[in-house]
Amino acid sequence: LILYAAYHNTARLYQPEKAGEYEAKSEAALARVAAIAPDSMIALMAAANLHMQHREWVAAEQSIKKILVLDPATYGSNITYGNFLSTVGRPTAAIDYLQRVVRIEPLDPISRLMLGTAYLLSGNSSEAERSFLRNKDLTDQKSTPNILLLVLALTENNQSHIKEYSNLLVNSDLRPNSNRQTVRDIFQVMPTLLDTSETAGVELQK
């Protein structure tokens, strides 16, 4: 059931026209897992994910805290709570849990990305950049860290980094058209910085 839910949750990203159908199947599977053995680790994880999908934040945190009591030192429990805390606007609290994840799995790129995002949201730019760069070292997929590094550069209005990461993003992962649109979108959602960053629209008009 967990694999079934994970499959449909992932499939909706690749077939957005069927997102509603896939999401319903994923949620139904998670609900069945939670009903079969409500106090088991796997059921609590399923319940937490289901609550988060429905934005039921109090119930989600209750499930995750039960997971942490049962198994406080694992990758899954700590990354789930760290992700939850960042999602609900508590990035400073998330950092401690995500640092634990990095210590548990130092070569895991996802935890570096989440940790960097928590640092970014909490205003620690130097540690955010360090985590994003480490993520790039650990993965072949460069687009996501380059996106976050560009957002960080825009936040600081760092012109040289804006130009650097715009270029890297446009040319990363062999998807220049898609990545060029991503850069445009980033500039559109940060309009106050766009006017002062005219020289940074690298290759965007091509």
Side-chain angles (χ1 to χ4, degrees):
L1 285 170
I2 287 291
L3 290 174
Y4 183 83
Y7 165 77
H8 285 96
N9 201 37
T10 302
R12 67 189 175 89
L13 302 177
Y14 295 94
Q15 292 184 282
E17 71 278 4
K18 295 185 178 180
E21 174 187 344
Y22 286 138
E23 185 172 351
K25 289 181 178 180
S26 175
E27 290 185 1
L30 291 175
R32 286 182 63 191
V33 171
I36 290 170
D39 294 323
S40 68
M41 178 71 72
I42 196 168
L44 288 169
M45 192 71 78
N49 288 325
L50 188 59
H51 289 311
M52 288 181 71
Q53 286 181 21
H54 285 286
R55 298 180 178 272
E56 298 166 348
W57 305 120
V58 173
E61 186 167 28
Q62 289 172 347
S63 294
I64 297 170
K65 284 185 173 179
K66 289 180 181 179
I67 294 168
L68 286 167
V69 170
L70 290 173
D71 207 353
T74 63
Y75 173 96
S77 58
N78 283 282
I79 200 167
T80 299
Y81 198 33
N83 179 50
F84 169 84
L85 290 170
S86 287
T87 301
V88 298
R90 291 150 61 189
T92 302
I95 289 171
D96 181 52
Y97 292 93
L98 295 171
Q99 286 175 333
R100 294 180 197 176
V101 177
V102 168
R103 289 194 292 270
I104 294 168
E105 293 287 349
L107 299 181
D108 173 52
I110 295 175
S111 58
R112 298 284 180 170
L113 205 62
M114 288 187 174
L115 179 58
T117 302
Y119 278 127
L120 176 61
L121 293 172
S122 63
N124 191 332
S125 299
S126 60
E127 287 298 329
E129 183 176 24
R130 181 182 173 189
S131 293
F132 295 149
L133 290 172
R134 183 56 178 149
N135 172 267
K136 287 181 66 174
D137 291 338
L138 294 171
T139 180
D140 293 330
Q141 301 299 320
K142 309 299 184 185
S143 291
T144 300
N146 282 330
I147 287 170
L148 291 167
L149 285 162
L150 175 56
V151 170
L152 177 60
L154 283 164
T155 301
E156 298 185 314
N157 199 20
N158 185 321
Q159 294 295 310
S160 63
H161 282 180
I162 291 169
K163 183 175 181 179
E164 175 186 356
Y165 293 121
S166 294
N167 265 321
L168 286 172
L169 179 57
V170 166
N171 294 292
S172 63
D173 301 341
L174 303 178
R175 297 181 301 169
N177 291 333
S178 174
N179 292 333
R180 189 175 293 113
Q181 183 59 52
T182 299
V183 176
R184 287 195 187 98
D185 292 342
I186 291 171
F187 276 78
Q188 286 174 0
V189 299
M190 303 185 76
T192 58
L193 295 174
L194 180 57
D195 291 341
T196 60
S197 306
E198 292 180 352
T199 60
V202 183
E203 294 194 27
L204 298 184
Q205 305 305 321
K206 295 183 180 180

